[in-house]
Amino acid sequence: EVQLVESGGDLVQPGGSLRLSCAASGFNVNTNYMTWVRQAPGKGLQWVSVIFSGGSAYYADSVKGRFTISRDKAKNTLFLQMNSLRDEDTGIYYCARNLFGYDFYYMDVWGKGTTVIVSS
Amino acid sequence: QSALTQPASVSGSPGQSITISCTGTSSDIGNFNSVSWYQQHPGKVPKLIIYEVTYRPSGVSSRFSGSKSGNTASLTISGLQAEDEADYYCSSYSTSGTPVIFGGGTMLTVL
């Protein structure tokens, strides 16, 4: 069964760091484009970052320079390193698999999300 | 303010059809067929229901259809059912800043 399970969400102070993980099963994260999307409490979806099968990555303007997406081939896991966290980074963070064979705009498998709260 | 503009809410009765609009610019919807739609029930995970403007993933009901004209994309749900009550988000590739943008979401109420 294709599945994504996120972890690592926590309460962190502004300026702090957090590393999110997304364990995949049923497919290989290294041969798929993988994306992080977040959702602030009561708000809409916001695209965060994508990593391509070749390893290159794109970021939303709001997180560029602060967040880093990566993956571990052996663990079949996607990561999101988040530094210099701000209040507005609070929300549920979803990892998602991009629809295979298409560009990076479509996410067809989603994890249940992990919650990040940035507050003093 | 979201990059793509959607109505905050729409409603319809069971059996009726409704259409949700998603308005962008020539930097996104207007020049690219990279529009997708997601359904999200309260407290649940988003689900891809339309990609590349008109295509449905396997398993998605044919009652859902997508279209595009100029800078505006649309999602039509025909034969409304109670289970369709959810939030709907459009998304598009964009050449202006962040490469993937979402609309603010539309809450669908089935009366």
Side-chain angles (χ1 to χ4, degrees), chain B residues 14-95:
Chain B
Q16 287 186 331
S17 293
I18 63 95
T19 296
I20 300 172
S21 62
C22 171
T23 302
T25 69
S26 57
S27 296
D28 39 74
I29 293 176
N31 276 308
F32 301 95
N33 289 326
S34 56
V35 176
S36 55
W37 290 88
Y38 297 86
Q39 176 193 60
Q40 186 179 33
H41 288 103
K44 300 297 185 181
V45 173
K47 175 186 177 182
L48 178 67
I49 57 173
I50 295 287
Y51 65 96
E52 208 155 86
V53 181
T54 63
Y55 293 91
R56 285 186 310 276
S58 174
V60 173
S61 171
S62 59
R63 297 186 299 105
F64 294 91
S65 63
S67 63
K68 190 188 87 165
S69 178
N71 293 340
T72 299
S74 299
L75 172 71
T76 298
I77 309 174
S78 59
L80 267 181
Q81 299 179 2
E83 68 209 45
D84 298 331
E85 190 162 284
D87 293 325
Y88 291 84
Y89 295 92
C90 61
S91 177
S92 173
Y93 171 69
S94 173
T95 58

Side-chain angles (χ1 to χ4, degrees), chain A residues 37 39 43-47 58-62 64 94 99 102 104-108 110-113, chain B residues 33-36 38 40 44-48 51-53 89 91 93 97-104:
Chain A
V37 174
Q39 188 167 31
K43 302 296 184 182
L45 303 174
Q46 183 182 27
W47 185 89
Y58 286 144
Y59 298 91
D61 288 347
S62 58
K64 203 174 295 181
Y94 298 101
L99 188 63
Y102 290 82
F104 64 98
Y105 324 128
Y106 317 123
M107 289 72 76
D108 68 334
W110 295 64
K112 294 189 184 304
Chain B
N33 289 326
S34 56
V35 176
S36 55
Y38 297 86
Q40 186 179 33
K44 300 297 185 181
V45 173
K47 175 186 177 182
L48 178 67
Y51 65 96
E52 208 155 86
V53 181
Y89 295 92
S91 177
Y93 171 69
T98 298
V100 178
I101 53 176
F102 283 95

